[in-house]
Amino acid sequence: MVMEYWSGWFDHWFEKQHHTTSVEAFSDVLERILKFPASVNLYMFHGGTNFGFHNGANIQDEFPHYLADVTSYDYDAPLTETGDYTNKYYACKHIVAKYNKVLTKVPSSPVVSKKMAYKPISVTGQLNFNQIIDRIAPEDRTKSDSVVHMEKLPVNNGNGQSYGFVLYRHAEVAVRVNSTLQIKNGAFYDMGIVLLDGERKTEKLTSTSQLLQFGYWETKNAKLSLISASYGTRTLDILVENWGRVNFGVHATFDQRKGLLENTKILLDDEEVTGWEIVSLQFKSKWVNSLDAWGPVSSHMTAPTLFLATLQVDTPYDTFLDMRGWGRGAVFINGFNLGRYFSAGPTHSLYIPAPLLKTGTNHIVVFELFTAQAQLVFTDKPILGPE
């Protein structure tokens, strides 16, 4: 019994291209398995999508040691992410029929879903970073002398936070013109964005070489220069994103806690900062749908921001969002979390199944960390890697 015959492979962020396996190679191995004869389980027959923040991750011995999966789990499987037939599907069907000795009634194949490239829509509203945090409910806020990882926070009826982002805020830190922030005895799990009075001080992430710098899991005790216009009391925000938990391997080789761990000390000019407000940004559907009082869209983005756009639909069809030109973030359609996008690729689209759309007005919310666009663009096919 072949328990996992890999029909393709999945993708990690920063990889150069979408993983594929040729129809010929796939067919050759499948036929040899059945001819042996042996039983077989295909992984995957249909991969689908890592909706929400539910993507997994892997570890490896070399840099970068942690690899987060992309949102699409197309996997180059016999059925595509949208459930469409491929040449690999037809080859599989032919080979199975050839070696199947049991009389089997084969139903008619379902009709392939129609795909639609809806017209581009404009971004019409935004909420800046402080406005986002102001909308977080009291039960998702915690006071703590030191930093705490998200799973240990007393939220969700004491069950902790599982997914999303966690914010560590201190409203009164004394900052000099060239202060230095250090994450002592720890690192970020998995990406940290530092803001001073609502202005981002960490770089936009575009390449793996940056993972060795301040703000990521690779380097402990990293330092960041906080360049300020003048000496004074500032609000320090440290926003940490959970990129996804490792779902393969043995427990001893990885730590699944996310955010900043308890033994971590936050130093500002070599002095420990204590007395934090810790805010859970979980982006649950009810909260996303409750957002209102959207402001006008600014052309200058200095911090993570929420953007709003509306799509008018006569008939819902499968479609894809083309996120090329955006930086990194997540998209929500009528409150449903489609998943993450990232300019580092290889994938640059997000799949919207027709059942997530409704006739009439559909609200699309984008949480962008770095770089926004004035429009949202749709396509009728996925962008799984470089053309």
Side-chain angles (χ1 to χ4, degrees), residues 7 24 31 50 58 92 126-127 142 149 154 162 179 201 214 234 238-239 243-244 292 307 326 339 352 356 362 376:
S7 61
E24 292 75 19
E31 182 151 16
N50 294 312
N58 291 90
C92 181
Q126 77 171 47
L127 294 174
T142 303
H149 64 265
S162 298
S179 284
K201 295 297 181 179
F214 181 96
R234 303 281 188 266
I238 304 175
L239 180 67
W243 277 22
D292 58 7
F307 296 96
W326 293 77
I352 305 178
L356 294 180
N362 295 267
L376 286 175

Side-chain angles (χ1 to χ4, degrees), residues 4-152:
E4 279 195 25
Y5 174 36
W6 299 333
S7 61
W9 201 244
F10 50 86
D11 301 322
H12 298 119
W13 296 120
F14 290 111
E15 290 175 340
K16 301 299 182 184
Q17 60 188 17
H18 170 53
H19 285 282
T20 59
T21 303
S22 72
V23 176
E24 292 75 19
F26 167 79
S27 300
D28 174 63
V29 175
L30 179 60
E31 182 151 16
R32 283 190 282 142
I33 292 170
L34 296 179
K35 186 178 180 179
F36 183 73
S39 297
V40 62
N41 176 54
L42 292 182
Y43 186 96
M44 304 288 292
F45 187 74
H46 171 237
T49 310
N50 294 312
F51 288 120
F53 297 131
H54 294 157
N55 64 280
N58 291 90
I59 53 171
Q60 60 183 12
D61 293 333
E62 64 271 10
F63 173 84
H65 299 87
Y66 166 81
L67 303 164
D69 296 350
V70 304
T71 299
S72 171
Y73 209 75
D74 178 86
Y75 203 83
D76 193 38
L79 294 181
T80 68
E81 181 177 9
T82 59
D84 295 348
Y85 310 110
T86 66
N87 290 335
K88 193 175 287 184
Y89 167 84
Y90 292 114
C92 181
K93 184 177 180 179
H94 171 75
I95 294 169
V96 169
K98 179 179 177 181
Y99 291 94
N100 182 21
K101 304 303 182 183
V102 179
L103 182 62
T104 305
K105 182 179 180 180
V106 180
S108 299
S109 299
V111 176
V112 172
S113 64
K114 181 177 179 179
K115 314 298 189 297
M116 174 66 72
Y118 293 102
K119 293 181 180 180
I121 56 175
S122 297
V123 174
T124 57
Q126 77 171 47
L127 294 174
N128 65 36
F129 188 70
N130 285 327
Q131 290 172 327
I132 297 169
I133 304 307
D134 288 344
R135 285 162 169 77
I136 302 296
E139 57 265 27
D140 285 332
R141 298 171 178 268
T142 303
K143 298 287 187 180
S144 177
D145 197 45
S146 57
V147 296
V148 180
H149 64 265
M150 65 166 55
E151 296 83 0
K152 198 174 181 179

Side-chain angles (χ1 to χ4, degrees), residues 331-363:
V331 178
F332 308 84
I333 177 79
N334 297 322
F336 182 88
N337 190 341
L338 291 176
R340 308 174 218 251
Y341 61 89
F342 190 15
S343 61
T347 62
H348 293 284
S349 59
L350 287 173
Y351 173 44
I352 305 178
L356 294 180
L357 297 172
K358 57 186 179 181
T359 301
T361 302
N362 295 267
H363 298 283

